[in-house]
Every structure is written in structure tokens, then in C-alpha cells.
Amino acid sequence: MSKLQPVRGTRDIFGEDAQRFAKVVETFHRLAHLYGFQKVDTPIFEFTELFARGIGETTDVVSKEMYTFEDRGGESLTLRPEFTAGLCRAFISNGWQQLAPLKLAGHGPMFRYERPQKGRYRQFHQIDAEILGAGEPQADIELLTMAAHLLDELGLAGKVQLEINTLGDSESRTKWREALVEYFSGHADALSDDSKSRLHKNPLRILDSKDEGDRKLVADAPLLDKFLNAEAGQFFETVLKGLSGIGMDVVVNPRLVRGLDYYCHTTFEFTTTHLGAQGTVLGGGRYDGLIEQLGGPATPAVGWAGGIERLALLVDLPEVVRGPIAVIPLGEAAQAEAVQLTARLRRAGLRVEQAFRGNMKKRLSRANDAKSPVALILGEDELARGELMLKDLTSGEQRAVPLAEVEAALQPYQD
């Protein structure tokens, strides 16, 4: 290969990008623990059928974007394009029903073959929070509260807006579906080919269409609120009142939908105008029918996922963290002592880096670049006296310290 490059739509995460990425992940898991969520991880590939059933065969994700391959045993496997289907599979196959309501939180890579854009990659990463086995609106409120708390902690409170809608219950959606079929059938000639194929299979998918002609028709399509029954209306009202009670500002967007039949009640997105066309940074909703559709027991569920790359683009860099203690040996005897000292200090819980090469000036320069607060300099003369030189890299002051007392001398420099 004459020139090595990453695969299109992938990237190497390093430096400031890695710091922003880590800030999102650390903040998410810290808050997830605070809210009582258990950490979970699922395989990055599953049987293809899981995603075909769990996401929907008529969706663009399944029909156009999944990375699917046949393994040596002839099984069709797919790299996961999202978290939820895999978590529901785990809930069923591991018998986690007895633990419900179960609150799960995870993060990791996802894979979709789509055109790379700012903050969107073919290998991307998500944080994900789900509550499985809770059908009450209070579960929706808690998840939304946690999402808003996360965005606040990341410093994004003024950069995002919560948009929310209801998809009603099964009865409401059935009546709405019939009205949509009737409406779009009257404009069938103007529909895109994809939407024509969805008209009778799943007309709600037309509402998600990106085709400009379809979008013009969708603008005048019937809204769910005309078909919302009292019970579903009360569920949504409870969610809105709960969010209002904790001071969350929301925008009710009646055009915010999810096209698959197992979605119901609350659906939401946190959007931003700071990333150009890629406006959604976190979104989710209630999917009470999915686990049953996958072969499990009827189980209510609600969850959300957020794109780590998009969130990382919005957050400020973490505060400068004090670097490791630098150990600088000069001479062969000092090098052997430095290995032992470094191991000793690390076992005492200190962050330590040992310089491997270069003269004193170069080694101190690297320590300063690493934002080390202090350098421990071991020379042959110092070792003969059973001590080392401790140099404060901020003030420039230095003093001799007995080797047996190094840990005590370093206490002011610990994180």
C-alpha cells in the first residue's frame, strides 16, 4: 500500500478529540450511577434478523445502511447500527424479566453506511439509557430529567432545545394510520417510490421521508392529536406536567414521529442549531411493543441515545489536568533506581512517568510539556547520599529529599 488512510467515515480519536470524548462518557456514567442505572455492554454484532425485526425491514437503516456479512458458519451477522435491539435481545435471552423494572446504561461504537458529515461517521459512538419494564409516565420523566441533567453538566444548557410529542396508544395510532393511508392514497402519484411501497405496509414511515416531494405532502397530512383518546392524552399531559414541575422548557412538536408500530406515547429529541444540518444530539421515546415483537413477553420500555461525536463537538475542553510526576534518572545506576522508585510510587497511587532518554534539558522540557507539577531527579551523587532532587516545575525551586521520604514530600502534588 503506497498510502495508508483510515476507511472513509472512520477516524482516529486522539488529543483534544479524545479529551472531549472522554468528558462526555465520564459525565454520562457518573450521572447514570446517580440515577440508579446499571452499566451494560452488548456484543457489537448480532444476528441480522434481530435488527430487521427490531428496527424494521422498511427502514433506510435496515435496507441501505447496515454492515451485514456472512460468517464462516453461513450465519448472517450485522454490526450493530443502534443499541436498543441488542439490549432487548439481552433482556429476553438472559431472563432479565425477573429484574424489571431494569435501568440500563451503556456506551460504545455503532456502524451505519451513510454519507459522512460533520459529527456523523460510519463508525460512530453512542451513549444509551433505557428503562425496561416500566409503563408509567414517571419513567419517561426520569429519563428526560437525566438527559437534561447530562446536557447541563456538559455545559450545553443554552445550546439545545427539547422537542417532544406523543404517538398515542395502539387504539389512537390505528385510527391515525387509517387516516394517513386515506390521505396519502389520494396523492399516491406524487409520492416517491419508497413511500409508495410503504403506503400500505407502514404509512407512518412516510412521515420520516427525506424526499422533498414527500415532505410537501407530509406538511398537510393528518396529525395524531385529532385521534388521541383520553387515556393517551392523559399520559402525555402527565409527562408535560412532570417536566414543567422541575423547570424544564419544552417545545411540543406534533410533526415529531417514529415510523414503527411498536413506538407509542412519548417521543423526543434534544436539538441544536450549532452543528449545521446535523441538529439532533440526543433522542428517544417509548417503545412498549418491541420486546414482544422480538419474541419476549409484553414489556413496556422507554429509552434514549445520544451521539458522542456530536456532543463532543459542543462541549468545552475539560479543565487542564495536572500532569504526572516526572522521574528523571541520570546515569546507569540512577536508571536502575528509577525503575524501582517509579513502581513504588505507582503502587502508592501516584501518576508517574519516567523519562527514557535525552539530557537533563530535554527531559525537563518533556515534563513541562506534559504539565508535570514536579520532577524527581536522580543523579549518581544524590544516590550516593540516599536522596534525590525534587524540583517544583511551577516555581523552579528544588530541594534534596531522602529516598525513604519521597511519598511524604509528594503529598502537595497529588491530584
Side-chain angles (χ1 to χ4, degrees):
M1 298 178 67
S2 61
K3 189 174 183 180
L4 288 175
Q5 295 290 336
V7 175
R8 185 167 185 251
T10 66
R11 65 171 187 152
D12 305 303
I13 303 173
F14 179 74
E16 289 189 0
D17 289 339
Q19 292 179 50
R20 295 175 190 274
F21 190 102
K23 180 177 180 179
V24 173
V25 173
E26 183 280 325
T27 305
F28 168 68
H29 282 296
R30 175 168 52 82
L31 290 184
H33 178 71
L34 186 65
Y35 280 73
F37 284 72
Q38 298 185 61
K39 191 173 183 179
V40 66
D41 196 11
T42 58
I44 65 170
F45 57 89
E46 302 266 6
F47 291 115
T48 301
E49 182 185 5
L50 173 67
F51 299 116
R53 294 173 63 185
I55 301 176
E57 295 185 13
T58 62
T59 64
D60 286 346
V61 172
V62 171
S63 63
K64 302 176 183 179
E65 298 173 4
M66 294 201 313
Y67 281 89
T68 298
F69 60 96
E70 187 174 293
D71 71 2
R72 293 184 180 183
E75 298 282 5
S76 179
L77 305 178
T78 294
L79 299 178
R80 63 185 181 193
E82 52 94 57
F83 253 118
T84 305
L87 287 175
C88 290
R89 189 272 309 152
F91 182 82
I92 298 167
S93 61
N94 293 315
W96 291 347
Q97 300 93 315
Q98 61 185 330
L99 304 175
L102 185 59
K103 299 160 76 172
L104 300 173
H107 85 277
M110 310 291 149
F111 305 85
R112 294 188 187 184
Y113 189 89
E114 54 184 339
R115 186 165 62 89
Q117 297 181 36
K118 183 178 182 180
R120 184 171 75 182
Y121 302 90
R122 290 176 176 175
Q123 177 180 320
F124 60 102
H125 300 78
Q126 287 186 336
I127 50 176
D128 186 272
E130 314 279 343
I131 302 179
L132 307 180
E136 297 79 9
Q138 286 73 27
D140 305 46
I141 296 168
E142 176 158 313
L143 270 172
L144 279 159
T145 302
M146 177 181 164
H149 191 172
L150 169 69
L151 296 172
D152 286 349
E153 289 281 308
L154 292 174
L156 307 184
K159 297 180 180 179
V160 295
Q161 172 68 61
L162 171 58
E163 298 183 18
I164 192 170
N165 191 25
T166 178
L167 301 176
D169 56 12
S170 177
E171 179 186 19
S172 304
R173 285 168 64 84
T174 298
K175 293 179 180 179
W176 184 35
R177 187 183 189 281
E178 293 171 353
L180 289 173
V181 170
E182 180 180 357
Y183 169 76
F184 285 121
S185 295
H187 300 83
D189 292 342
L191 289 173
S192 67
D193 290 340
D194 283 344
S195 290
K196 286 177 182 176
S197 67
R198 293 166 176 163
L199 178 56
H200 294 285
K201 292 180 181 178
N202 194 344
L204 272 67
R205 290 285 297 126
I206 300 175
L207 303 176
D208 291 333
S209 174
K210 301 299 188 292
D211 181 87
E212 286 302 319
D214 290 345
R215 292 170 70 90
K216 291 178 181 178
L217 295 175
V218 168
D220 295 322
L223 297 174
L224 173 63
D225 56 3
K226 295 181 180 179
F227 309 95
L228 203 62
N229 61 32
E231 184 177 353
Q234 182 58 51
F235 189 103
F236 190 45
E237 188 65 25
T238 300
V239 172
L240 293 179
K241 286 184 177 178
L243 299 178
S244 176
I246 58 175
M248 285 181 61
D249 294 325
V250 307
V251 172
V252 177
N253 179 0
R255 296 292 180 187
L256 180 60
V257 299
R258 296 286 185 269
L260 300 174
D261 287 338
Y262 55 74
Y263 286 107
C264 62
H265 294 300
T266 314
T267 185
F268 57 89
E269 292 181 351
F270 286 85
T271 61
T272 183
T273 59
H274 293 257
L275 292 176
Q278 301 304 306
T280 301
V281 296
L282 186 154
R286 179 164 285 279
Y287 52 96
D288 288 354
L290 176 56
I291 292 176
E292 185 175 11
Q293 181 172 308
L294 294 176
T299 306
V302 60
W304 56 253
I308 298 178
E309 282 83 358
R310 294 186 188 179
L311 289 168
L313 285 171
L314 294 171
V315 302
D316 294 327
L317 278 174
E319 294 181 7
V320 176
V321 177
R322 190 158 52 183
I325 293 163
V327 174
I328 301 177
L330 301 172
E332 290 186 14
Q335 183 68 56
E337 180 66 30
V339 171
Q340 298 177 35
L341 177 63
T342 299
R344 188 177 110 201
L345 295 178
R346 286 172 176 163
R347 288 181 177 274
L350 297 168
R351 291 179 62 216
V352 182
E353 285 293 336
Q354 180 184 331
F356 296 122
R357 65 169 66 93
N359 57 30
M360 170 77 81
K361 183 177 180 181
K362 288 183 178 179
R363 295 185 185 194
L364 283 174
S365 177
R366 287 187 63 85
N368 280 309
D369 291 342
K371 298 181 174 58
S372 298
V374 64
L376 305 180
I377 303 169
L378 291 86
E380 294 183 2
D381 292 342
E382 287 82 8
L383 289 180
R385 297 192 297 270
E387 60 187 27
L388 53 73
M389 295 301 297
L390 185 152
K391 183 179 179 66
D392 188 310
L393 296 180
T394 300
S395 67
E397 297 177 357
Q398 62 183 37
R399 59 189 173 92
V401 175
L403 288 173
E405 301 176 12
V406 174
E407 286 90 341
L410 290 174
Q411 284 187 356
Y413 303 99
Q414 295 187 50
D415 291 335

PDB file of all heavy atoms in Angstrom, residues 256-287:
ATOM      1  N   LEU A 256     -43.084  15.532  15.110  1.00  0.00           N
ATOM      2  CA  LEU A 256     -42.025  14.638  15.561  1.00  0.00           C
ATOM      3  C   LEU A 256     -42.607  13.242  15.737  1.00  0.00           C
ATOM      4  O   LEU A 256     -43.454  13.004  16.599  1.00  0.00           O
ATOM      5  CB  LEU A 256     -41.441  15.138  16.882  1.00  0.00           C
ATOM      6  CG  LEU A 256     -40.306  14.311  17.500  1.00  0.00           C
ATOM      7  CD1 LEU A 256     -39.115  14.222  16.550  1.00  0.00           C
ATOM      8  CD2 LEU A 256     -39.887  14.913  18.838  1.00  0.00           C
ATOM      9  N   VAL A 257     -42.200  12.302  14.890  1.00  0.00           N
ATOM     10  CA  VAL A 257     -42.800  10.964  14.902  1.00  0.00           C
ATOM     11  C   VAL A 257     -41.711   9.897  14.855  1.00  0.00           C
ATOM     12  O   VAL A 257     -40.552  10.167  14.570  1.00  0.00           O
ATOM     13  CB  VAL A 257     -43.765  10.765  13.709  1.00  0.00           C
ATOM     14  CG1 VAL A 257     -44.899  11.770  13.776  1.00  0.00           C
ATOM     15  CG2 VAL A 257     -43.011  10.870  12.387  1.00  0.00           C
ATOM     16  N   ARG A 258     -42.135   8.666  15.117  1.00  0.00           N
ATOM     17  CA  ARG A 258     -41.322   7.474  14.890  1.00  0.00           C
ATOM     18  C   ARG A 258     -42.184   6.547  14.044  1.00  0.00           C
ATOM     19  O   ARG A 258     -43.335   6.291  14.374  1.00  0.00           O
ATOM     20  CB  ARG A 258     -40.954   6.780  16.210  1.00  0.00           C
ATOM     21  CG  ARG A 258     -40.084   7.620  17.120  1.00  0.00           C
ATOM     22  CD  ARG A 258     -38.645   7.687  16.611  1.00  0.00           C
ATOM     23  NE  ARG A 258     -37.771   8.387  17.541  1.00  0.00           N
ATOM     24  CZ  ARG A 258     -37.518   9.692  17.516  1.00  0.00           C
ATOM     25  NH1 ARG A 258     -38.095  10.447  16.606  1.00  0.00           N
ATOM     26  NH2 ARG A 258     -36.701  10.238  18.391  1.00  0.00           N
ATOM     27  N   GLY A 259     -41.625   6.021  12.964  1.00  0.00           N
ATOM     28  CA  GLY A 259     -42.437   5.351  11.966  1.00  0.00           C
ATOM     29  C   GLY A 259     -42.849   3.927  12.266  1.00  0.00           C
ATOM     30  O   GLY A 259     -43.676   3.378  11.551  1.00  0.00           O
ATOM     31  N   LEU A 260     -42.312   3.281  13.301  1.00  0.00           N
ATOM     32  CA  LEU A 260     -42.601   1.873  13.525  1.00  0.00           C
ATOM     33  C   LEU A 260     -43.707   1.686  14.548  1.00  0.00           C
ATOM     34  O   LEU A 260     -43.850   2.463  15.499  1.00  0.00           O
ATOM     35  CB  LEU A 260     -41.332   1.151  13.967  1.00  0.00           C
ATOM     36  CG  LEU A 260     -40.195   1.223  12.928  1.00  0.00           C
ATOM     37  CD1 LEU A 260     -38.929   0.610  13.484  1.00  0.00           C
ATOM     38  CD2 LEU A 260     -40.602   0.543  11.634  1.00  0.00           C
ATOM     39  N   ASP A 261     -44.471   0.608  14.371  1.00  0.00           N
ATOM     40  CA  ASP A 261     -45.693   0.434  15.150  1.00  0.00           C
ATOM     41  C   ASP A 261     -45.453   0.182  16.631  1.00  0.00           C
ATOM     42  O   ASP A 261     -46.349   0.405  17.445  1.00  0.00           O
ATOM     43  CB  ASP A 261     -46.510  -0.735  14.577  1.00  0.00           C
ATOM     44  CG  ASP A 261     -47.179  -0.366  13.257  1.00  0.00           C
ATOM     45  OD1 ASP A 261     -47.368   0.841  13.013  1.00  0.00           O
ATOM     46  OD2 ASP A 261     -47.488  -1.284  12.471  1.00  0.00           O
ATOM     47  N   TYR A 262     -44.275  -0.305  17.007  1.00  0.00           N
ATOM     48  CA  TYR A 262     -44.076  -0.588  18.421  1.00  0.00           C
ATOM     49  C   TYR A 262     -43.765   0.661  19.237  1.00  0.00           C
ATOM     50  O   TYR A 262     -43.713   0.629  20.452  1.00  0.00           O
ATOM     51  CB  TYR A 262     -42.984  -1.647  18.632  1.00  0.00           C
ATOM     52  CG  TYR A 262     -41.642  -1.352  18.010  1.00  0.00           C
ATOM     53  CD1 TYR A 262     -40.795  -0.390  18.561  1.00  0.00           C
ATOM     54  CD2 TYR A 262     -41.203  -2.052  16.894  1.00  0.00           C
ATOM     55  CE1 TYR A 262     -39.559  -0.126  18.006  1.00  0.00           C
ATOM     56  CE2 TYR A 262     -39.957  -1.804  16.338  1.00  0.00           C
ATOM     57  CZ  TYR A 262     -39.137  -0.849  16.891  1.00  0.00           C
ATOM     58  OH  TYR A 262     -37.911  -0.587  16.349  1.00  0.00           O
ATOM     59  N   TYR A 263     -43.533   1.800  18.586  1.00  0.00           N
ATOM     60  CA  TYR A 263     -43.366   3.062  19.311  1.00  0.00           C
ATOM     61  C   TYR A 263     -44.728   3.566  19.771  1.00  0.00           C
ATOM     62  O   TYR A 263     -45.739   3.412  19.073  1.00  0.00           O
ATOM     63  CB  TYR A 263     -42.697   4.117  18.436  1.00  0.00           C
ATOM     64  CG  TYR A 263     -41.221   3.902  18.225  1.00  0.00           C
ATOM     65  CD1 TYR A 263     -40.731   3.469  17.000  1.00  0.00           C
ATOM     66  CD2 TYR A 263     -40.316   4.128  19.255  1.00  0.00           C
ATOM     67  CE1 TYR A 263     -39.380   3.268  16.798  1.00  0.00           C
ATOM     68  CE2 TYR A 263     -38.961   3.930  19.066  1.00  0.00           C
ATOM     69  CZ  TYR A 263     -38.493   3.499  17.838  1.00  0.00           C
ATOM     70  OH  TYR A 263     -37.152   3.294  17.646  1.00  0.00           O
ATOM     71  N   CYS A 264     -44.752   4.206  20.918  1.00  0.00           N
ATOM     72  CA  CYS A 264     -46.011   4.745  21.438  1.00  0.00           C
ATOM     73  C   CYS A 264     -45.715   5.871  22.424  1.00  0.00           C
ATOM     74  O   CYS A 264     -44.578   6.067  22.845  1.00  0.00           O
ATOM     75  CB  CYS A 264     -46.825   3.641  22.129  1.00  0.00           C
ATOM     76  SG  CYS A 264     -45.996   2.901  23.553  1.00  0.00           S
ATOM     77  N   HIS A 265     -46.736   6.607  22.745  1.00  0.00           N
ATOM     78  CA  HIS A 265     -46.651   7.676  23.748  1.00  0.00           C
ATOM     79  C   HIS A 265     -45.481   8.636  23.486  1.00  0.00           C
ATOM     80  O   HIS A 265     -45.351   9.157  22.390  1.00  0.00           O
ATOM     81  CB  HIS A 265     -46.607   7.085  25.161  1.00  0.00           C
ATOM     82  CG  HIS A 265     -47.877   6.394  25.559  1.00  0.00           C
ATOM     83  ND1 HIS A 265     -49.089   7.045  25.617  1.00  0.00           N
ATOM     84  CD2 HIS A 265     -48.129   5.094  25.887  1.00  0.00           C
ATOM     85  CE1 HIS A 265     -50.043   6.190  25.984  1.00  0.00           C
ATOM     86  NE2 HIS A 265     -49.494   4.997  26.140  1.00  0.00           N
ATOM     87  N   THR A 266     -44.619   8.828  24.462  1.00  0.00           N
ATOM     88  CA  THR A 266     -43.627   9.902  24.394  1.00  0.00           C
ATOM     89  C   THR A 266     -42.548   9.655  23.339  1.00  0.00           C
ATOM     90  O   THR A 266     -41.970   8.573  23.271  1.00  0.00           O
ATOM     91  CB  THR A 266     -42.937  10.063  25.763  1.00  0.00           C
ATOM     92  OG1 THR A 266     -43.917  10.049  26.800  1.00  0.00           O
ATOM     93  CG2 THR A 266     -42.167  11.366  25.813  1.00  0.00           C
ATOM     94  N   THR A 267     -42.275  10.671  22.537  1.00  0.00           N
ATOM     95  CA  THR A 267     -41.105  10.679  21.659  1.00  0.00           C
ATOM     96  C   THR A 267     -40.456  12.055  21.777  1.00  0.00           C
ATOM     97  O   THR A 267     -41.155  13.059  21.957  1.00  0.00           O
ATOM     98  CB  THR A 267     -41.480  10.356  20.202  1.00  0.00           C
ATOM     99  OG1 THR A 267     -40.297  10.272  19.415  1.00  0.00           O
ATOM    100  CG2 THR A 267     -42.399  11.412  19.613  1.00  0.00           C
ATOM    101  N   PHE A 268     -39.150  12.123  21.704  1.00  0.00           N
ATOM    102  CA  PHE A 268     -38.489  13.406  21.977  1.00  0.00           C
ATOM    103  C   PHE A 268     -37.125  13.477  21.314  1.00  0.00           C
ATOM    104  O   PHE A 268     -36.505  12.452  20.996  1.00  0.00           O
ATOM    105  CB  PHE A 268     -38.340  13.643  23.482  1.00  0.00           C
ATOM    106  CG  PHE A 268     -37.591  12.550  24.202  1.00  0.00           C
ATOM    107  CD1 PHE A 268     -36.206  12.590  24.332  1.00  0.00           C
ATOM    108  CD2 PHE A 268     -38.266  11.477  24.759  1.00  0.00           C
ATOM    109  CE1 PHE A 268     -35.520  11.595  24.985  1.00  0.00           C
ATOM    110  CE2 PHE A 268     -37.577  10.455  25.420  1.00  0.00           C
ATOM    111  CZ  PHE A 268     -36.204  10.523  25.536  1.00  0.00           C
ATOM    112  N   GLU A 269     -36.659  14.698  21.123  1.00  0.00           N
ATOM    113  CA  GLU A 269     -35.313  14.965  20.617  1.00  0.00           C
ATOM    114  C   GLU A 269     -34.771  16.230  21.266  1.00  0.00           C
ATOM    115  O   GLU A 269     -35.519  17.205  21.436  1.00  0.00           O
ATOM    116  CB  GLU A 269     -35.315  15.153  19.093  1.00  0.00           C
ATOM    117  CG  GLU A 269     -35.633  13.906  18.302  1.00  0.00           C
ATOM    118  CD  GLU A 269     -35.601  14.142  16.799  1.00  0.00           C
ATOM    119  OE1 GLU A 269     -35.489  15.337  16.386  1.00  0.00           O
ATOM    120  OE2 GLU A 269     -35.694  13.168  16.036  1.00  0.00           O
ATOM    121  N   PHE A 270     -33.508  16.209  21.621  1.00  0.00           N
ATOM    122  CA  PHE A 270     -32.799  17.422  22.005  1.00  0.00           C
ATOM    123  C   PHE A 270     -32.035  17.882  20.770  1.00  0.00           C
ATOM    124  O   PHE A 270     -31.175  17.159  20.258  1.00  0.00           O
ATOM    125  CB  PHE A 270     -31.831  17.158  23.164  1.00  0.00           C
ATOM    126  CG  PHE A 270     -32.501  16.977  24.495  1.00  0.00           C
ATOM    127  CD1 PHE A 270     -32.994  15.736  24.873  1.00  0.00           C
ATOM    128  CD2 PHE A 270     -32.651  18.050  25.364  1.00  0.00           C
ATOM    129  CE1 PHE A 270     -33.620  15.560  26.098  1.00  0.00           C
ATOM    130  CE2 PHE A 270     -33.274  17.887  26.594  1.00  0.00           C
ATOM    131  CZ  PHE A 270     -33.762  16.640  26.964  1.00  0.00           C
ATOM    132  N   THR A 271     -32.367  19.066  20.277  1.00  0.00           N
ATOM    133  CA  THR A 271     -31.789  19.552  19.027  1.00  0.00           C
ATOM    134  C   THR A 271     -30.942  20.795  19.279  1.00  0.00           C
ATOM    135  O   THR A 271     -31.069  21.465  20.307  1.00  0.00           O
ATOM    136  CB  THR A 271     -32.896  19.883  18.012  1.00  0.00           C
ATOM    137  OG1 THR A 271     -33.738  20.918  18.549  1.00  0.00           O
ATOM    138  CG2 THR A 271     -33.739  18.665  17.706  1.00  0.00           C
ATOM    139  N   THR A 272     -30.082  21.089  18.301  1.00  0.00           N
ATOM    140  CA  THR A 272     -29.221  22.264  18.395  1.00  0.00           C
ATOM    141  C   THR A 272     -29.098  22.918  17.031  1.00  0.00           C
ATOM    142  O   THR A 272     -29.262  22.259  16.000  1.00  0.00           O
ATOM    143  CB  THR A 272     -27.821  21.882  18.916  1.00  0.00           C
ATOM    144  OG1 THR A 272     -27.025  23.060  19.062  1.00  0.00           O
ATOM    145  CG2 THR A 272     -27.118  20.924  17.974  1.00  0.00           C
ATOM    146  N   THR A 273     -28.810  24.204  17.031  1.00  0.00           N
ATOM    147  CA  THR A 273     -28.535  24.928  15.782  1.00  0.00           C
ATOM    148  C   THR A 273     -27.039  25.174  15.617  1.00  0.00           C
ATOM    149  O   THR A 273     -26.633  25.884  14.706  1.00  0.00           O
ATOM    150  CB  THR A 273     -29.270  26.279  15.780  1.00  0.00           C
ATOM    151  OG1 THR A 273     -28.833  27.059  16.904  1.00  0.00           O
ATOM    152  CG2 THR A 273     -30.775  26.074  15.847  1.00  0.00           C
ATOM    153  N   HIS A 274     -26.230  24.581  16.488  1.00  0.00           N
ATOM    154  CA  HIS A 274     -24.786  24.841  16.496  1.00  0.00           C
ATOM    155  C   HIS A 274     -23.991  23.837  15.667  1.00  0.00           C
ATOM    156  O   HIS A 274     -22.769  23.924  15.617  1.00  0.00           O
ATOM    157  CB  HIS A 274     -24.258  24.839  17.938  1.00  0.00           C
ATOM    158  CG  HIS A 274     -24.764  25.983  18.759  1.00  0.00           C
ATOM    159  ND1 HIS A 274     -24.002  27.094  19.048  1.00  0.00           N
ATOM    160  CD2 HIS A 274     -25.966  26.201  19.350  1.00  0.00           C
ATOM    161  CE1 HIS A 274     -24.714  27.946  19.789  1.00  0.00           C
ATOM    162  NE2 HIS A 274     -25.906  27.409  19.979  1.00  0.00           N
ATOM    163  N   LEU A 275     -24.662  22.889  15.024  1.00  0.00           N
ATOM    164  CA  LEU A 275     -23.957  21.880  14.231  1.00  0.00           C
ATOM    165  C   LEU A 275     -24.439  21.835  12.786  1.00  0.00           C
ATOM    166  O   LEU A 275     -24.345  20.805  12.128  1.00  0.00           O
ATOM    167  CB  LEU A 275     -24.135  20.492  14.870  1.00  0.00           C
ATOM    168  CG  LEU A 275     -23.466  20.260  16.216  1.00  0.00           C
ATOM    169  CD1 LEU A 275     -23.807  18.873  16.752  1.00  0.00           C
ATOM    170  CD2 LEU A 275     -21.958  20.428  16.117  1.00  0.00           C
ATOM    171  N   GLY A 276     -24.978  22.920  12.304  1.00  0.00           N
ATOM    172  CA  GLY A 276     -25.462  22.935  10.927  1.00  0.00           C
ATOM    173  C   GLY A 276     -26.679  22.046  10.774  1.00  0.00           C
ATOM    174  O   GLY A 276     -27.592  22.049  11.601  1.00  0.00           O
ATOM    175  N   ALA A 277     -26.682  21.246   9.702  1.00  0.00           N
ATOM    176  CA  ALA A 277     -27.847  20.408   9.409  1.00  0.00           C
ATOM    177  C   ALA A 277     -27.989  19.254  10.388  1.00  0.00           C
ATOM    178  O   ALA A 277     -29.079  18.684  10.528  1.00  0.00           O
ATOM    179  CB  ALA A 277     -27.740  19.866   7.981  1.00  0.00           C
ATOM    180  N   GLN A 278     -26.906  18.874  11.045  1.00  0.00           N
ATOM    181  CA  GLN A 278     -26.961  17.751  11.986  1.00  0.00           C
ATOM    182  C   GLN A 278     -27.467  18.252  13.335  1.00  0.00           C
ATOM    183  O   GLN A 278     -26.711  18.483  14.260  1.00  0.00           O
ATOM    184  CB  GLN A 278     -25.582  17.103  12.102  1.00  0.00           C
ATOM    185  CG  GLN A 278     -25.044  16.574  10.789  1.00  0.00           C
ATOM    186  CD  GLN A 278     -25.994  15.598  10.138  1.00  0.00           C
ATOM    187  OE1 GLN A 278     -26.407  14.624  10.759  1.00  0.00           O
ATOM    188  NE2 GLN A 278     -26.360  15.836   8.903  1.00  0.00           N
ATOM    189  N   GLY A 279     -28.793  18.407  13.436  1.00  0.00           N
ATOM    190  CA  GLY A 279     -29.349  19.119  14.575  1.00  0.00           C
ATOM    191  C   GLY A 279     -29.669  18.303  15.803  1.00  0.00           C
ATOM    192  O   GLY A 279     -29.775  18.838  16.897  1.00  0.00           O
ATOM    193  N   THR A 280     -29.854  16.987  15.688  1.00  0.00           N
ATOM    194  CA  THR A 280     -30.248  16.175  16.835  1.00  0.00           C
ATOM    195  C   THR A 280     -29.013  15.610  17.523  1.00  0.00           C
ATOM    196  O   THR A 280     -28.196  14.948  16.895  1.00  0.00           O
ATOM    197  CB  THR A 280     -31.169  15.013  16.404  1.00  0.00           C
ATOM    198  OG1 THR A 280     -32.331  15.546  15.763  1.00  0.00           O
ATOM    199  CG2 THR A 280     -31.584  14.193  17.599  1.00  0.00           C
ATOM    200  N   VAL A 281     -28.885  15.864  18.827  1.00  0.00           N
ATOM    201  CA  VAL A 281     -27.742  15.342  19.581  1.00  0.00           C
ATOM    202  C   VAL A 281     -28.147  14.202  20.510  1.00  0.00           C
ATOM    203  O   VAL A 281     -27.290  13.419  20.935  1.00  0.00           O
ATOM    204  CB  VAL A 281     -27.050  16.456  20.401  1.00  0.00           C
ATOM    205  CG1 VAL A 281     -26.454  17.497  19.480  1.00  0.00           C
ATOM    206  CG2 VAL A 281     -28.010  17.103  21.392  1.00  0.00           C
ATOM    207  N   LEU A 282     -29.444  14.109  20.809  1.00  0.00           N
ATOM    208  CA  LEU A 282     -29.924  13.063  21.715  1.00  0.00           C
ATOM    209  C   LEU A 282     -31.414  12.888  21.466  1.00  0.00           C
ATOM    210  O   LEU A 282     -32.137  13.878  21.319  1.00  0.00           O
ATOM    211  CB  LEU A 282     -29.637  13.463  23.164  1.00  0.00           C
ATOM    212  CG  LEU A 282     -29.916  12.473  24.286  1.00  0.00           C
ATOM    213  CD1 LEU A 282     -29.003  12.772  25.491  1.00  0.00           C
ATOM    214  CD2 LEU A 282     -31.365  12.488  24.744  1.00  0.00           C
ATOM    215  N   GLY A 283     -31.881  11.661  21.402  1.00  0.00           N
ATOM    216  CA  GLY A 283     -33.299  11.455  21.154  1.00  0.00           C
ATOM    217  C   GLY A 283     -33.747  10.070  21.578  1.00  0.00           C
ATOM    218  O   GLY A 283     -32.929   9.161  21.787  1.00  0.00           O
ATOM    219  N   GLY A 284     -35.055   9.916  21.705  1.00  0.00           N
ATOM    220  CA  GLY A 284     -35.582   8.613  22.110  1.00  0.00           C
ATOM    221  C   GLY A 284     -37.081   8.646  22.263  1.00  0.00           C
ATOM    222  O   GLY A 284     -37.770   9.511  21.715  1.00  0.00           O
ATOM    223  N   GLY A 285     -37.575   7.710  23.061  1.00  0.00           N
ATOM    224  CA  GLY A 285     -39.009   7.634  23.274  1.00  0.00           C
ATOM    225  C   GLY A 285     -39.417   6.284  23.823  1.00  0.00           C
ATOM    226  O   GLY A 285     -38.585   5.443  24.178  1.00  0.00           O
ATOM    227  N   ARG A 286     -40.724   6.083  23.852  1.00  0.00           N
ATOM    228  CA  ARG A 286     -41.293   4.857  24.424  1.00  0.00           C
ATOM    229  C   ARG A 286     -41.567   3.845  23.320  1.00  0.00           C
ATOM    230  O   ARG A 286     -42.069   4.194  22.253  1.00  0.00           O
ATOM    231  CB  ARG A 286     -42.575   5.200  25.190  1.00  0.00           C
ATOM    232  CG  ARG A 286     -43.278   4.007  25.827  1.00  0.00           C
ATOM    233  CD  ARG A 286     -44.280   4.414  26.876  1.00  0.00           C
ATOM    234  NE  ARG A 286     -43.609   4.836  28.114  1.00  0.00           N
ATOM    235  CZ  ARG A 286     -43.145   3.991  29.038  1.00  0.00           C
ATOM    236  NH1 ARG A 286     -43.264   2.683  28.852  1.00  0.00           N
ATOM    237  NH2 ARG A 286     -42.568   4.432  30.127  1.00  0.00           N
ATOM    238  N   TYR A 287     -41.219   2.573  23.600  1.00  0.00           N
ATOM    239  CA  TYR A 287     -41.387   1.508  22.605  1.00  0.00           C
ATOM    240  C   TYR A 287     -41.956   0.257  23.286  1.00  0.00           C
ATOM    241  O   TYR A 287     -41.331  -0.802  23.336  1.00  0.00           O
ATOM    242  CB  TYR A 287     -40.048   1.205  21.902  1.00  0.00           C
ATOM    243  CG  TYR A 287     -38.882   0.943  22.831  1.00  0.00           C
ATOM    244  CD1 TYR A 287     -38.516  -0.357  23.183  1.00  0.00           C
ATOM    245  CD2 TYR A 287     -38.139   1.987  23.362  1.00  0.00           C
ATOM    246  CE1 TYR A 287     -37.454  -0.604  24.034  1.00  0.00           C
ATOM    247  CE2 TYR A 287     -37.070   1.751  24.206  1.00  0.00           C
ATOM    248  CZ  TYR A 287     -36.736   0.451  24.539  1.00  0.00           C
ATOM    249  OH  TYR A 287     -35.673   0.208  25.379  1.00  0.00           O
TER     250      TYR A 287
END
